[in-house]
PDB file of all heavy atoms in Angstrom:
ATOM      1  N   VAL A1279     163.384 -93.383  75.914  1.00 98.00           N
ATOM      2  CA  VAL A1279     162.217 -94.263  76.001  1.00 98.00           C
ATOM      3  C   VAL A1279     162.129 -94.810  77.416  1.00 98.00           C
ATOM      4  O   VAL A1279     163.077 -95.407  77.926  1.00 98.00           O
ATOM      5  CB  VAL A1279     162.303 -95.409  74.984  1.00 98.00           C
ATOM      6  CG1 VAL A1279     161.084 -96.327  75.118  1.00 98.00           C
ATOM      7  CG2 VAL A1279     162.389 -94.866  73.560  1.00 98.00           C
ATOM      8  N   VAL A1280     161.001 -94.586  78.060  1.00 97.00           N
ATOM      9  CA  VAL A1280     160.786 -95.053  79.434  1.00 97.00           C
ATOM     10  C   VAL A1280     159.543 -95.942  79.461  1.00 97.00           C
ATOM     11  O   VAL A1280     158.734 -95.940  78.527  1.00 97.00           O
ATOM     12  CB  VAL A1280     160.638 -93.866  80.407  1.00 97.00           C
ATOM     13  CG1 VAL A1280     161.947 -93.080  80.489  1.00 97.00           C
ATOM     14  CG2 VAL A1280     159.494 -92.944  79.987  1.00 97.00           C
ATOM     15  N   HIS A1281     159.395 -96.709  80.554  1.00 97.00           N
ATOM     16  CA  HIS A1281     158.301 -97.681  80.631  1.00 97.00           C
ATOM     17  C   HIS A1281     157.606 -97.605  81.985  1.00 97.00           C
ATOM     18  O   HIS A1281     157.580 -98.575  82.747  1.00 97.00           O
ATOM     19  CB  HIS A1281     158.830 -99.100  80.375  1.00 97.00           C
ATOM     20  CG  HIS A1281     159.387 -99.306  79.011  1.00 97.00           C
ATOM     21  ND1 HIS A1281     160.696 -98.967  78.673  1.00 97.00           N
ATOM     22  CD2 HIS A1281     158.804 -99.793  77.872  1.00 97.00           C
ATOM     23  CE1 HIS A1281     160.903 -99.266  77.396  1.00 97.00           C
ATOM     24  NE2 HIS A1281     159.783 -99.762  76.892  1.00 97.00           N
ATOM     25  N   PRO A1282     157.011 -96.452  82.330  1.00 97.00           N
ATOM     26  CA  PRO A1282     156.303 -96.383  83.608  1.00 97.00           C
ATOM     27  C   PRO A1282     155.121 -97.347  83.635  1.00 97.00           C
ATOM     28  O   PRO A1282     154.318 -97.369  82.693  1.00 97.00           O
ATOM     29  CB  PRO A1282     155.845 -94.917  83.679  1.00 97.00           C
ATOM     30  CG  PRO A1282     155.810 -94.462  82.257  1.00 97.00           C
ATOM     31  CD  PRO A1282     156.914 -95.209  81.566  1.00 97.00           C
ATOM     32  N   GLU A1283     155.050 -98.140  84.689  1.00 96.00           N
ATOM     33  CA  GLU A1283     153.971 -99.119  84.847  1.00 96.00           C
ATOM     34  C   GLU A1283     153.841-100.024  83.622  1.00 96.00           C
ATOM     35  O   GLU A1283     152.764-100.487  83.273  1.00 96.00           O
ATOM     36  CB  GLU A1283     152.643 -98.406  85.143  1.00 96.00           C
ATOM     37  CG  GLU A1283     152.702 -97.585  86.433  1.00 96.00           C
ATOM     38  CD  GLU A1283     151.415 -96.863  86.741  1.00 96.00           C
ATOM     39  OE1 GLU A1283     151.051 -95.953  85.960  1.00 96.00           O
ATOM     40  OE2 GLU A1283     150.780 -97.215  87.746  1.00 96.00           O
ATOM     41  N   GLY A1284     154.973-100.280  82.960  1.00 96.00           N
ATOM     42  CA  GLY A1284     155.001-101.186  81.829  1.00 96.00           C
ATOM     43  C   GLY A1284     154.511-100.620  80.516  1.00 96.00           C
ATOM     44  O   GLY A1284     154.389-101.357  79.530  1.00 96.00           O
ATOM     45  N   ILE A1285     154.231 -99.322  80.464  1.00 96.00           N
ATOM     46  CA  ILE A1285     153.717 -98.692  79.244  1.00 96.00           C
ATOM     47  C   ILE A1285     154.786 -97.754  78.682  1.00 96.00           C
ATOM     48  O   ILE A1285     155.236 -96.836  79.360  1.00 96.00           O
ATOM     49  CB  ILE A1285     152.413 -97.932  79.526  1.00 96.00           C
ATOM     50  CG1 ILE A1285     151.343 -98.914  80.036  1.00 96.00           C
ATOM     51  CG2 ILE A1285     151.928 -97.206  78.269  1.00 96.00           C
ATOM     52  CD1 ILE A1285     150.089 -98.255  80.504  1.00 96.00           C
ATOM     53  N   ALA A1286     155.187 -97.982  77.457  1.00 96.00           N
ATOM     54  CA  ALA A1286     156.272 -97.205  76.869  1.00 96.00           C
ATOM     55  C   ALA A1286     155.865 -95.756  76.651  1.00 96.00           C
ATOM     56  O   ALA A1286     154.701 -95.441  76.403  1.00 96.00           O
ATOM     57  CB  ALA A1286     156.705 -97.824  75.546  1.00 96.00           C
ATOM     58  N   GLY A1287     156.843 -94.875  76.748  1.00 97.00           N
ATOM     59  CA  GLY A1287     156.639 -93.462  76.474  1.00 97.00           C
ATOM     60  C   GLY A1287     157.970 -92.780  76.280  1.00 97.00           C
ATOM     61  O   GLY A1287     159.031 -93.399  76.387  1.00 97.00           O
ATOM     62  N   LEU A1288     157.936 -91.487  75.972  1.00 97.00           N
ATOM     63  CA  LEU A1288     159.143 -90.693  75.791  1.00 97.00           C
ATOM     64  C   LEU A1288     159.211 -89.657  76.902  1.00 97.00           C
ATOM     65  O   LEU A1288     158.292 -88.859  77.074  1.00 97.00           O
ATOM     66  CB  LEU A1288     159.131 -89.992  74.428  1.00 97.00           C
ATOM     67  CG  LEU A1288     159.169 -90.919  73.218  1.00 97.00           C
ATOM     68  CD1 LEU A1288     158.924 -90.130  71.941  1.00 97.00           C
ATOM     69  CD2 LEU A1288     160.503 -91.650  73.145  1.00 97.00           C
ATOM     70  N   ARG A1289     160.310 -89.653  77.642  1.00 98.00           N
ATOM     71  CA  ARG A1289     160.462 -88.737  78.775  1.00 98.00           C
ATOM     72  C   ARG A1289     160.735 -87.318  78.309  1.00 98.00           C
ATOM     73  O   ARG A1289     161.106 -87.070  77.157  1.00 98.00           O
ATOM     74  CB  ARG A1289     161.598 -89.201  79.676  1.00 98.00           C
ATOM     75  CG  ARG A1289     162.988 -89.085  79.053  1.00 98.00           C
ATOM     76  CD  ARG A1289     164.085 -89.332  80.078  1.00 98.00           C
ATOM     77  NE  ARG A1289     165.415 -89.317  79.478  1.00 98.00           N
ATOM     78  CZ  ARG A1289     166.148 -88.231  79.258  1.00 98.00           C
ATOM     79  NH1 ARG A1289     165.655 -87.026  79.567  1.00 98.00           N
ATOM     80  NH2 ARG A1289     167.354 -88.317  78.737  1.00 98.00           N
ATOM     81  N   THR A1290     160.541 -86.374  79.230  1.00 98.00           N
ATOM     82  CA  THR A1290     160.968 -85.002  78.975  1.00 98.00           C
ATOM     83  C   THR A1290     162.483 -85.000  78.745  1.00 98.00           C
ATOM     84  O   THR A1290     163.239 -85.559  79.540  1.00 98.00           O
ATOM     85  CB  THR A1290     160.614 -84.105  80.172  1.00 98.00           C
ATOM     86  OG1 THR A1290     159.183 -84.032  80.276  1.00 98.00           O
ATOM     87  CG2 THR A1290     161.172 -82.700  80.006  1.00 98.00           C
ATOM     88  N   PRO A1291     162.973 -84.384  77.661  1.00 97.00           N
ATOM     89  CA  PRO A1291     164.380 -84.521  77.270  1.00 97.00           C
ATOM     90  C   PRO A1291     165.319 -83.584  78.019  1.00 97.00           C
ATOM     91  O   PRO A1291     166.065 -82.798  77.412  1.00 97.00           O
ATOM     92  CB  PRO A1291     164.346 -84.213  75.778  1.00 97.00           C
ATOM     93  CG  PRO A1291     163.238 -83.224  75.642  1.00 97.00           C
ATOM     94  CD  PRO A1291     162.193 -83.664  76.623  1.00 97.00           C
ATOM     95  N   LEU A1292     165.292 -83.657  79.342  1.00 97.00           N
ATOM     96  CA  LEU A1292     166.195 -82.871  80.175  1.00 97.00           C
ATOM     97  C   LEU A1292     166.984 -83.811  81.078  1.00 97.00           C
ATOM     98  O   LEU A1292     166.422 -84.753  81.648  1.00 97.00           O
ATOM     99  CB  LEU A1292     165.413 -81.879  81.047  1.00 97.00           C
ATOM    100  CG  LEU A1292     164.606 -80.800  80.316  1.00 97.00           C
ATOM    101  CD1 LEU A1292     163.736 -80.035  81.303  1.00 97.00           C
ATOM    102  CD2 LEU A1292     165.529 -79.850  79.567  1.00 97.00           C
ATOM    103  N   SER A1293     168.273 -83.554  81.203  1.00 97.00           N
ATOM    104  CA  SER A1293     169.122 -84.319  82.112  1.00 97.00           C
ATOM    105  C   SER A1293     169.865 -83.345  83.017  1.00 97.00           C
ATOM    106  O   SER A1293     170.348 -82.305  82.556  1.00 97.00           O
ATOM    107  CB  SER A1293     170.130 -85.176  81.331  1.00 97.00           C
ATOM    108  OG  SER A1293     169.464 -86.113  80.496  1.00 97.00           O
ATOM    109  N   PHE A1294     169.960 -83.689  84.299  1.00 97.00           N
ATOM    110  CA  PHE A1294     170.546 -82.803  85.300  1.00 97.00           C
ATOM    111  C   PHE A1294     171.750 -83.480  85.949  1.00 97.00           C
ATOM    112  O   PHE A1294     171.819 -84.705  86.038  1.00 97.00           O
ATOM    113  CB  PHE A1294     169.509 -82.465  86.383  1.00 97.00           C
ATOM    114  CG  PHE A1294     168.281 -81.778  85.870  1.00 97.00           C
ATOM    115  CD1 PHE A1294     167.164 -82.504  85.473  1.00 97.00           C
ATOM    116  CD2 PHE A1294     168.222 -80.399  85.771  1.00 97.00           C
ATOM    117  CE1 PHE A1294     166.016 -81.885  85.002  1.00 97.00           C
ATOM    118  CE2 PHE A1294     167.077 -79.758  85.292  1.00 97.00           C
ATOM    119  CZ  PHE A1294     165.986 -80.506  84.907  1.00 97.00           C
ATOM    120  N   SER A1295     172.688 -82.667  86.422  1.00 97.00           N
ATOM    121  CA  SER A1295     173.868 -83.234  87.074  1.00 97.00           C
ATOM    122  C   SER A1295     173.558 -83.765  88.468  1.00 97.00           C
ATOM    123  O   SER A1295     174.205 -84.696  88.937  1.00 97.00           O
ATOM    124  CB  SER A1295     174.981 -82.174  87.164  1.00 97.00           C
ATOM    125  OG  SER A1295     174.579 -81.072  87.974  1.00 97.00           O
ATOM    126  N   ARG A1296     172.533 -83.201  89.142  1.00 96.00           N
ATOM    127  CA  ARG A1296     172.191 -83.660  90.490  1.00 96.00           C
ATOM    128  C   ARG A1296     170.754 -84.156  90.603  1.00 96.00           C
ATOM    129  O   ARG A1296     170.484 -85.114  91.310  1.00 96.00           O
ATOM    130  CB  ARG A1296     172.409 -82.533  91.513  1.00 96.00           C
ATOM    131  CG  ARG A1296     173.867 -82.154  91.746  1.00 96.00           C
ATOM    132  CD  ARG A1296     174.015 -81.166  92.889  1.00 96.00           C
ATOM    133  NE  ARG A1296     173.314 -79.892  92.651  1.00 96.00           N
ATOM    134  CZ  ARG A1296     172.162 -79.557  93.206  1.00 96.00           C
ATOM    135  NH1 ARG A1296     171.540 -80.373  94.036  1.00 96.00           N
ATOM    136  NH2 ARG A1296     171.601 -78.375  92.938  1.00 96.00           N
ATOM    137  N   SER A1297     169.835 -83.512  89.948  1.00 97.00           N
ATOM    138  CA  SER A1297     168.431 -83.867  90.086  1.00 97.00           C
ATOM    139  C   SER A1297     168.039 -84.983  89.119  1.00 97.00           C
ATOM    140  O   SER A1297     168.785 -85.327  88.204  1.00 97.00           O
ATOM    141  CB  SER A1297     167.558 -82.638  89.816  1.00 97.00           C
ATOM    142  OG  SER A1297     167.823 -81.615  90.738  1.00 97.00           O
ATOM    143  N   HIS A1298     166.862 -85.535  89.341  1.00 97.00           N
ATOM    144  CA  HIS A1298     166.350 -86.572  88.460  1.00 97.00           C
ATOM    145  C   HIS A1298     164.921 -86.241  88.056  1.00 97.00           C
ATOM    146  O   HIS A1298     164.263 -85.391  88.661  1.00 97.00           O
ATOM    147  CB  HIS A1298     166.387 -87.942  89.154  1.00 97.00           C
ATOM    148  CG  HIS A1298     165.481 -88.034  90.356  1.00 97.00           C
ATOM    149  ND1 HIS A1298     164.127 -88.275  90.263  1.00 97.00           N
ATOM    150  CD2 HIS A1298     165.739 -87.895  91.687  1.00 97.00           C
ATOM    151  CE1 HIS A1298     163.591 -88.289  91.466  1.00 97.00           C
ATOM    152  NE2 HIS A1298     164.548 -88.056  92.354  1.00 97.00           N
ATOM    153  N   LEU A1299     164.436 -86.918  87.022  1.00 98.00           N
ATOM    154  CA  LEU A1299     163.050 -86.802  86.626  1.00 98.00           C
ATOM    155  C   LEU A1299     162.210 -87.807  87.416  1.00 98.00           C
ATOM    156  O   LEU A1299     162.729 -88.790  87.937  1.00 98.00           O
ATOM    157  CB  LEU A1299     162.883 -87.063  85.131  1.00 98.00           C
ATOM    158  CG  LEU A1299     163.619 -86.109  84.186  1.00 98.00           C
ATOM    159  CD1 LEU A1299     163.386 -86.527  82.737  1.00 98.00           C
ATOM    160  CD2 LEU A1299     163.198 -84.667  84.399  1.00 98.00           C
ATOM    161  N   THR A1300     160.903 -87.561  87.483  1.00 97.00           N
ATOM    162  CA  THR A1300     159.972 -88.475  88.138  1.00 97.00           C
ATOM    163  C   THR A1300     159.189 -89.191  87.059  1.00 97.00           C
ATOM    164  O   THR A1300     158.356 -88.582  86.375  1.00 97.00           O
ATOM    165  CB  THR A1300     159.023 -87.697  89.072  1.00 97.00           C
ATOM    166  OG1 THR A1300     159.806 -87.006  90.058  1.00 97.00           O
ATOM    167  CG2 THR A1300     158.060 -88.642  89.772  1.00 97.00           C
ATOM    168  N   LEU A1301     159.456 -90.492  86.882  1.00 97.00           N
ATOM    169  CA  LEU A1301     158.956 -91.209  85.715  1.00 97.00           C
ATOM    170  C   LEU A1301     158.277 -92.524  86.061  1.00 97.00           C
ATOM    171  O   LEU A1301     158.115 -93.390  85.203  1.00 97.00           O
ATOM    172  CB  LEU A1301     160.117 -91.474  84.743  1.00 97.00           C
ATOM    173  CG  LEU A1301     160.864 -90.231  84.237  1.00 97.00           C
ATOM    174  CD1 LEU A1301     162.146 -90.625  83.516  1.00 97.00           C
ATOM    175  CD2 LEU A1301     159.971 -89.402  83.324  1.00 97.00           C
ATOM    176  N   ALA A1302     157.855 -92.701  87.290  1.00 96.00           N
ATOM    177  CA  ALA A1302     157.310 -93.990  87.702  1.00 96.00           C
ATOM    178  C   ALA A1302     155.852 -94.186  87.331  1.00 96.00           C
ATOM    179  O   ALA A1302     155.371 -95.316  87.247  1.00 96.00           O
ATOM    180  CB  ALA A1302     157.474 -94.156  89.220  1.00 96.00           C
ATOM    181  N   ARG A1303     155.122 -93.104  87.108  1.00 96.00           N
ATOM    182  CA  ARG A1303     153.675 -93.188  86.917  1.00 96.00           C
ATOM    183  C   ARG A1303     153.317 -92.975  85.446  1.00 96.00           C
ATOM    184  O   ARG A1303     153.763 -92.025  84.823  1.00 96.00           O
ATOM    185  CB  ARG A1303     152.984 -92.114  87.761  1.00 96.00           C
ATOM    186  CG  ARG A1303     151.465 -92.283  87.866  1.00 96.00           C
ATOM    187  CD  ARG A1303     150.823 -91.017  88.383  1.00 96.00           C
ATOM    188  NE  ARG A1303     151.288 -90.596  89.683  1.00 96.00           N
ATOM    189  CZ  ARG A1303     150.675 -90.866  90.844  1.00 96.00           C
ATOM    190  NH1 ARG A1303     149.571 -91.575  90.849  1.00 96.00           N
ATOM    191  NH2 ARG A1303     151.174 -90.401  91.983  1.00 96.00           N
ATOM    192  N   SER A1304     152.479 -93.877  84.893  1.00 97.00           N
ATOM    193  CA  SER A1304     151.983 -93.697  83.539  1.00 97.00           C
ATOM    194  C   SER A1304     150.797 -92.737  83.562  1.00 97.00           C
ATOM    195  O   SER A1304     150.472 -92.150  84.594  1.00 97.00           O
ATOM    196  CB  SER A1304     151.586 -95.047  82.938  1.00 97.00           C
ATOM    197  OG  SER A1304     151.218 -94.896  81.576  1.00 97.00           O
ATOM    198  N   ALA A1305     150.151 -92.557  82.419  1.00 97.00           N
ATOM    199  CA  ALA A1305     148.927 -91.758  82.369  1.00 97.00           C
ATOM    200  C   ALA A1305     147.828 -92.475  83.142  1.00 97.00           C
ATOM    201  O   ALA A1305     147.783 -93.709  83.163  1.00 97.00           O
ATOM    202  CB  ALA A1305     148.509 -91.520  80.930  1.00 97.00           C
TER     203      ALA A1305
END
């Protein structure tokens, strides 16, 4: 569960050992 710009959502369910997801922007 992530909260980009204060709006809850569900992130893409991938986790990486070095890279990260980009989750700062809502719709």
